[in-house]
Amino acid sequence: SRPILDMSYSRHFLDFQGSSIPSSMKKLVVTKLSQNFREAVTLQQDSPVPLPGDGDLLVRNRFVGINASDINYSAGRYDASVKPPFDIGFEGVGDVVALGLSASADYTVGQAVAYVKAGSFAEYTVVPARQAVPLPSVKPEFLTLMVSGATAYISLKELGDLSEGKKVLVTAAAGGTGQFAVQLAKKAKCHVIGTCSSDEKGGFLKSIGCDRTINYKTENVESVLRKDYPEGVDVVYESVGGKMFDLALNSLAIKGRLIVIGFIAGYQNPTGLQPIKAELLPAKLLKKSASIRGFFLNHYFSEYKMALKHLLEMYERGDLVCEVDFGDMSPEGKFVGLESVFRAVDYMYMGRNIGKIVVELPHSVNSKL
């Protein structure tokens, strides 16, 4: 068994590979509030590596996840009281390289963990032990479940009221969270319709069980829905906003439910919104006894551990596809290193990704002593 390093009292320590943890690291920091990610965020080269407190883990990040809401966070839309500079990035997977005394009751140096916590776009992140999720190994697929998988699972379970034969429309279905909404709706024996922007994405969606794919670049979504689903759809899992929101609202069946998990089409606008035709909303909802529900993962953390446990079990059994996009097909190739986070965010907003966008953070384990 490896020795447990009590980091509460020491300023010098070794990691489990036997190489010295450096005193400084790279990390991304929001230095200016802007919906333009490249303007808002700065790569700092020599930030001090943080020290874990008594109940903390120091995690060396190996993979970090890209989320559409990274732009909202760097624009200051989530918490107006937070002023720059502040750390960014929501989720990571890596190895525990040091830990505090209390944290050592449940964790050891060398353990693989995942976490959801602001500040993951860094080479090292301090994570409270109670927020960490122990993993069997460091794999990027686990990262897809932390925010994207959990969002789809909890929102559909709590708000979707899914049952056999229901018709479910998933917008941006081939994206990080859409891929899970499709699979989970299929597992509930629903008929699933997915919108996407290419035939390649349509092929992926069919491979994970989507019954009807609509490539909105080559097909008119509204016409397809009116023709193929004249009675409307029972549930919409909506993450695009703008015109797609209006279209989804109009396609609801009697007692239909529209779940809003995002509105990516507007995030890069100064207001964060694209206009919708909301003035008719009361009449449209009334006419169909329909409802709209918003879903923000932070408000459902009481359900989080249970959801993640279930998702991890499904993945381990081979019942869940966790598609990862490392940007191999992007113009400058695979997303490797913190400097490629900027490219990865651009790639997401160009609508190029299939599955969850993940950035790899390689680390030299050569001794620096």
Side-chain angles (χ1 to χ4, degrees), residues 252-282:
L252 284 176
I254 302 294
K255 297 183 182 175
R257 289 174 299 289
L258 195 159
I259 303 170
V260 178
I261 64 115
F263 35 94
I264 188 173
Y267 291 174
Q268 290 179 299
N269 295 351
T271 61
L273 294 166
Q274 265 205 337
I276 58 168
K277 294 173 180 162
E279 64 273 11
L280 298 174
L281 192 58

Side-chain angles (χ1 to χ4, degrees), residues 7-320:
M7 283 315 309
S8 317
Y9 310 103
S10 163
R11 294 201 69 81
H12 178 74
F13 48 98
L14 299 177
D15 74 2
F16 71 97
Q17 299 283 9
S19 61
S20 167
I21 294 175
S23 57
S24 65
M25 65 171 185
K26 294 179 185 174
K27 73 172 179 176
L28 294 185
V29 179
V30 177
T31 49
K32 171 191 172 186
L33 297 183
S34 170
Q35 75 280 358
N36 181 327
F37 192 82
R38 288 178 181 269
E39 274 184 19
V41 179
T42 304
L43 174 62
Q44 294 192 348
Q45 298 282 353
D46 54 355
S47 295
V49 172
L51 287 177
D54 181 56
D56 296 333
L57 312 173
L58 181 65
V59 178
R60 179 166 58 191
N61 294 314
R62 296 265 299 282
F63 300 101
V64 294
I66 304 296
N67 292 283
S69 45
D70 290 328
I71 279 187
N72 285 337
Y73 199 62
S74 60
R77 290 180 185 139
Y78 285 159
D79 186 350
S81 68
V82 178
K83 300 285 181 270
F86 56 86
D87 297 348
I88 189 168
F90 291 129
E91 54 189 341
V93 166
D95 311 292
V96 175
V97 292
L99 70 170
L101 195 55
S102 298
S104 68
D106 299 305
Y107 289 90
T108 58
V109 167
Q111 191 159 358
V113 294
Y115 64 89
V116 175
K117 176 184 179 285
S120 71
F121 291 164
E123 291 179 313
Y124 296 85
T125 303
V126 167
V127 180
R130 59 189 164 74
Q131 288 181 23
V133 178
L135 298 174
S137 61
V138 173
K139 282 167 76 171
E141 285 79 7
F142 292 124
L143 195 56
T144 66
L145 302 175
M146 300 303 293
V147 171
S148 301
T151 294
Y153 184 99
I154 300 170
S155 63
L156 289 174
K157 178 173 174 287
E158 295 291 315
L159 310 177
D161 194 23
L162 301 184
S163 59
E164 187 170 352
K166 292 275 175 78
K167 294 184 280 294
V168 178
L169 171 65
V170 181
T171 63
T177 179
Q179 65 170 328
F180 294 110
V182 168
Q183 293 178 79
L184 294 168
K186 279 307 292 179
K187 289 190 187 313
K189 299 183 176 171
C190 296
H191 176 94
V192 183
I193 309 133
T195 70
C196 62
S197 60
S198 71
D199 291 340
E200 188 192 0
K201 290 184 179 188
F204 166 68
L205 289 173
K206 288 196 175 102
S207 77
I208 59 171
C210 204
D211 297 289
R212 174 66 160 99
T213 61
I214 307 174
N215 177 349
Y216 61 80
K217 295 279 178 75
T218 58
E219 295 183 273
N220 182 300
V221 181
E222 193 171 9
S223 301
V224 171
L225 290 172
R226 197 182 299 124
K227 176 174 162 288
D228 293 358
Y229 305 96
E231 301 290 308
V233 295
D234 301 296
V235 179
V236 183
Y237 183 89
E238 217 296 274
S239 61
V240 177
K243 288 175 183 164
M244 188 63 84
F245 174 90
D246 289 328
L247 199 150
L249 177 67
N250 291 338
S251 69
L252 284 176
I254 302 294
K255 297 183 182 175
R257 289 174 299 289
L258 195 159
I259 303 170
V260 178
I261 64 115
F263 35 94
I264 188 173
Y267 291 174
Q268 290 179 299
N269 295 351
T271 61
L273 294 166
Q274 265 205 337
I276 58 168
K277 294 173 180 162
E279 64 273 11
L280 298 174
L281 192 58
K284 286 180 178 178
L285 294 178
L286 181 65
K287 195 168 86 177
K288 294 179 175 177
S289 293
S291 62
I292 298 176
R293 296 288 298 272
F295 178 88
F296 188 42
L297 186 60
N298 290 18
H299 300 146
Y300 286 85
F301 274 146
S302 59
E303 308 291 316
Y304 184 77
K305 288 243 161 150
M306 175 277 300
L308 205 57
K309 180 172 178 286
H310 195 184
L311 289 164
L312 284 165
E313 287 168 357
M314 288 166 73
Y315 173 68
E316 293 281 289
R317 285 198 307 267
D319 288 344
L320 197 64

